[in-house]
C-alpha cells in the first residue's frame, strides 16, 4: 500500500478526481488530496475530505497547517504525485518552477514520480506555450495520461477532456505496482522525422508522423519498461509512461541516443533519420531567392544505428532493432542492412503501398533477422509494435542465456 498525493486543479473535470481517489483506494492505496484555489470553485473540499478520510490540503498558509507533521512530510512520504485534472496554469507553473501554493511547492519538493492528466480547451492544449511546457515536463521524466476527445464543457468538441478516471488509475497503478515482461529494462525508442535546416526558415524533412515509434514506446511502457522516446518533430502526444526527449536534426538525435545507449537493454530505431544534411549546418539567416538555380551541398549524416552496432560489437546488449523504408525487395535489402549495421532485427516496410506506411495507422512490413523472415502483411502499427517487442524480449532472453 502506498500513499498517493492527488493534486486537483481548477477544471470542470475536478469532480472526476473523486473517482480517481476511489479507484486508487480499491487498489489498496491511500490518497491525500490537495486542492488549488480554483479547484474549490468546482468541487467542495468536504467531498474529498469525506472520501479520503483525511484533511484536504488547500492552503499553504492555513493556520496549523505547518504544524501538522503529515502535511509537511507529504513530499517525502508520497510514492506518487498525481495531478488530475491539470490545467494549463498548473502545467505552466510546474514547467517553470513557480511555487506559489501548496501543490506547486509540493511538485518542487518531492522526489516521487509525477503523473499528470491534462484537461483544458482544445485551443489551449494546442497553444505553443502549453505544448512547450508539456515538452519540458516530459523531458524531466513527468508522465502523462492523455486527454480524450469529446464534448468539452466550453461547448467545443475536440481534444482536451480529462482522461477517464479508470485510465488515470491504471497509469498510476502502473507506476506504483510496476509489473510486466519488460520490468526493470530500459527501452530507448526513436520516432518521427528529422529536420535538417537549409537556412533559418527552410528545412529538409520527410513524411514520417512518428506513429510507429510512439506505438512501440507506449507498448514498452505498458510492459513495465522504463522508456525513453527520442522524438523528431511530431504532432503526437507523449505516450503515457514514456519520457520524451524532443530533437530536431539527425545530429541531435545521434547525441540524445548516445547519452542513453550504454544503459539501454533495447534500442528501437523507428525514426526516419535524414541521410543528408546541408553542409556546414545550413546558411545563417534566410537565403534570398534569385533567378539563378540554387545549388545545395548536402553531406551525409551519421548512421546512428550503424554506430550503435559498431559500439556494441560482440556484446549481447543492447538488443538493436532498425526500421527500413524500402520500395525494392524488402527481404534482400533488409538482410543486407542487418549485416551492414550489425543489428539483430530489421523491420522492412514496403513504402510503395498506398494504404500503409508513412502518415498512416497501418503498416505492412517484413521482419528480417539472422534466422529468416516473417511477413506482417497489413495491420495496425500497434499490432506491429507488439510483435517487435515480443521479438525484443526473445532476443533479451537469448542474450541472458548466452552470458
Ligand atoms: O539505411 P536506412 O536509412 O535504410 O536504415 C534505416 C534504419 O537506420 C532505421 O532504423 C533508421 O532509424 C536508422 N538510421 C539511422 N541513422 C541514419 C539513417 C538511418 O540510425 N542516419
Amino acid at each position: 500500500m502506498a500513499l498517493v498525493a492527488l493534486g486537483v486543479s481548477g477544471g470542470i473535470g475536478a469532480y472526476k478526481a473523486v473517482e480517481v481517489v476511489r479507484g486508487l483506494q480499491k487498489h489498496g492505496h491511500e490518497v491525500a488530496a490537495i486542492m488549488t484555489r480554483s479547484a474549490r470553485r468546482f468541487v467542495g473540499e468536504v467531498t474529498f475530505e469525506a472520501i479520503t478520510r483525511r484533511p484536504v490540503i488547500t492552503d499553504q498558509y492555513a493556520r496549523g497547517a505547518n504544524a501538522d507533521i503529515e502535511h509537511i512530510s507529504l513530499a517525502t512520504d508520497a510514492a506518487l504525485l498525481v495531478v488530475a485534472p491539470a490545467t494549463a496554469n498548473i502545467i505552466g507553473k510546474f514547467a517553470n518552477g513557480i511555487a506559489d501554493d501548496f501543490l506547486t511547492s509540493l511538485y518542487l519538493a518531492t522526489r516521487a514520480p509525477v503523473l499528470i492528466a491534462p484537461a483544458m480547451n482544445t485551443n489551449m492544449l494546442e497553444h505553443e506555450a502549453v505544448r512547450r511546457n508539456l515538452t519540458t515536463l516530459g523531458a524531466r521524466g513527468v508522465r502523462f495520461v492523455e486527454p480524450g476527445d469529446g464534448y468539452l464543457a466550453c461547448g467545443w468538441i475536440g481534444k482536451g477532456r480529462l482522461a477517464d478516471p479508470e485510465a488515470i488509475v491504471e497509469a498510476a497503478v502502473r507506476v506504483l505496482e510496476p509489473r510486466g515482461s519488460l520490468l526493470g529494462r530500459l527501452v530507448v525508442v526513436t520516432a518521427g522525422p528529422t529536420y535538417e535546416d537549409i537556412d533559418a526558415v527552410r528545412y529538409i524533412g520527410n513524411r514520417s508522423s512518428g506513429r510507429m515509434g510512439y506505438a512501440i514506446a507506449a507498448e514498452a511502457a505498458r510492459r513495465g519498461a522504463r522508456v525513453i522516446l527520442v522524438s523528431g518533430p511530431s504532432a503526437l502526444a507523449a505516450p503515457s509512461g514514456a519520457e520524451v526527449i524532443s530533437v530536431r536534426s539527425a545530429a541531435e538525435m545521434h547525441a540524445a541516443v548516445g547519452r542513453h545507449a550504454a544503459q539501454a537493454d533495447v534500442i528501437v530505431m523507428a525514426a526516419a533519420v535524414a541521410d543528408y544534411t546541408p553542409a556546414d549546418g545550413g546558411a545563417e539567416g534566410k537565403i534570398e531567392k534569385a533567378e539563378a538555380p540554387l545549388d545545395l551541398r548536402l553531406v551525409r549524416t551519421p548512421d546512428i544505428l550503424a554506430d550503435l552496432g559498431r559500439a556494441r560489437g560482440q556484446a549481447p546488449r543492447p538488443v538493436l532493432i532498425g526500421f527500413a523504408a524500402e520500395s525494392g525487395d524488402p527481404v534482400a535489402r533488409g538482410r543486407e542492412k542487418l549485416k551492414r549495421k550489425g543489428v539483430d532485427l530489421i523491420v522492412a516496410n514496403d513504402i510503395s503501398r498506398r494504404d500503409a506506411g508513412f502518415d498512416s495507422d497501418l503498416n505492412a512490413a517484413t521482419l528480417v533477422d539472422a534466422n529468416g523472415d516473417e511477413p506482417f502483411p497489413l495491420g495496425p502499427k500497434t499490432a506491429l509494435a507488439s510483435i517487435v517487442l515480443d521479438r525484443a524480449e526473445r532476443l533479451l532472453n537469448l542474450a541472458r542465456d548466452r552470458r
Side-chain angles (χ1 to χ4, degrees), residues 80-88 90-95 107 113-120 125 129-148 159 161-175 214 217-218 221-222 227 229 236-246:
L80 173 69
L81 169 61
V82 180
V83 183
T87 56
I90 208 83
I91 287 167
K93 286 181 182 173
F94 281 11
Y107 167 72
V114 179
L115 178 69
I116 285 180
M120 66 199 74
L125 188 63
V130 175
R131 297 196 71 85
R132 208 184 37 221
N133 289 335
L134 289 170
T135 304
T136 302
L137 291 175
R140 234 178 253 160
V142 167
R143 293 157 231 236
F144 297 97
V145 191
E146 265 303 280
K159 197 173 169 88
R161 207 173 58 153
L162 181 66
D164 287 336
E166 303 84 66
I168 299 169
V169 171
E170 193 192 305
V173 167
R174 220 183 296 141
V175 180
Y214 277 57
R222 214 169 293 126
V227 179
L229 174 61
L236 300 177
S240 150
E243 297 160 43
V244 182
I245 301 177
S246 299

Side-chain angles (χ1 to χ4, degrees), residues 324-346:
E326 303 297 357
S327 48
D329 174 1
V331 177
R333 296 182 66 95
R335 181 140 304 125
E336 184 269 320
K337 277 179 196 170
L338 193 70
K339 271 224 187 77
R340 179 161 50 83
K341 300 193 188 224
V343 302
D344 302 296
L345 176 68
I346 289 282

Side-chain angles (χ1 to χ4, degrees), residues 293-345:
L294 174 67
D295 288 326
L296 276 182
R297 207 172 101 77
L298 302 178
V299 293
R300 280 296 305 268
T301 53
D303 189 320
I304 306 169
L305 191 56
D307 260 12
L308 293 169
R310 254 191 308 276
R312 178 181 68 167
Q314 296 306 310
R317 281 192 325 116
V319 165
L320 295 176
I321 299 178
F323 275 71
E326 303 297 357
S327 48
D329 174 1
V331 177
R333 296 182 66 95
R335 181 140 304 125
E336 184 269 320
K337 277 179 196 170
L338 193 70
K339 271 224 187 77
R340 179 161 50 83
K341 300 193 188 224
V343 302
D344 302 296
L345 176 68

